[in-house]
């Protein structure tokens, strides 16, 4: 370690070399009155861009048959537990479906609820062959329901021009498919008008 005199001489000489235009008196004044602060500028860290994970395209999903139900799985009995889970989900959503519950409140919740597992019946249709189809909804798309019937037949029923009825704990709700052309994920944010024009 250097002595205080040597350190003083070194600093004075360093400042004289660094600032030749400054007089000795001014240098001495700087040393006695002010502190010399040596600033350190850290290097800026470059943020690495996160790579977004790309999902499958619609074409790839169709080619991989991700949403297709195998024929051996198309049995009504397999999906009855799903229906029981759905009923419990609706009861929790509607706070028990009590007899004194207001119908429009329940209707509003059902319109936004997930219908996978619900038992529905086609009550009206512009195509008579659809009327009377009853089964559990296995898949809901924007324009169609895929329903498994008690006869173990998978039916693809369009929403457009069809009216569906849904019963749970004595409460019957009607779904007008023409007003229901939404994906299940989009429906929760949709504001439905409970009163309006009713048509197929």
């Amino acid at each position: 370690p250097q002595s205080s005199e040597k350190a003083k001489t070194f600093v004075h000489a360093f400042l004289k070399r660094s600032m030749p235009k400054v007089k000795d008196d001014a240098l001495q004044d700087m040393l006695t009155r002010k502190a010399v602060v040596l600033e350190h500028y850290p290097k800026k860290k470059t943020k690495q861009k996160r790579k977004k994970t790309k999902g499958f395209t619609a074409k790839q999903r169709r080619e991989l048959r991700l949403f297709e139900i195998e024929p051996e799985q198309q049995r009504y009995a397999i999906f009855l537990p799903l229906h029981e889970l759905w009923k419990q989900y609706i009861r929790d959503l509607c706070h028990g479906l009590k007899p004194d519950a207001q119908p429009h409140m329940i209707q509003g919740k059902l319109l936004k609820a997930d219908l996978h597992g619900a038992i529905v019946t086609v009550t009206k249709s512009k195509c008579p062959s659809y009327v009377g189809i009853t089964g559990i909804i296995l898949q809901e798309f924007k324009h169609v329901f895929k329903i498994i019937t008690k006869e173990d037949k998978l039916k693809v029923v369009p929403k457009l021009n069809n009216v569906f009825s849904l019963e749970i704990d004595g409460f019957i709700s009607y779904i007008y498919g023409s007003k229901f052309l939404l994906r299940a994920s989009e429906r929760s944010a949709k504001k439905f008008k409970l009163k309006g024009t009713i048509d197929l």
Side-chain angles (χ1 to χ4, degrees), residues 136-148:
I136 300 171
I137 294 177
L138 299 189
Q139 291 173 310
E140 180 187 354
F141 298 96
K142 186 174 182 179
H143 297 285
V144 298
F145 287 123
K146 281 191 178 181
I147 298 171
I148 187 80

Side-chain angles (χ1 to χ4, degrees), residues 69 73 75-91 114-119 135-140 146-148 154 168:
I69 300 167
Q73 298 294 324
R75 298 210 309 275
Y76 185 84
I78 291 176
F79 297 100
L80 279 173
L82 176 66
H83 174 61
E84 293 301 319
L85 284 173
W86 181 83
K87 286 199 295 187
Q88 189 57 50
Y89 155 67
I90 292 298
R91 289 184 188 119
D114 192 326
L115 296 178
H116 293 91
I119 293 179
I136 300 171
I137 294 177
L138 299 189
Q139 291 173 310
E140 180 187 354
K146 281 191 178 181
I147 298 171
I148 187 80
L154 188 66
I168 178 169

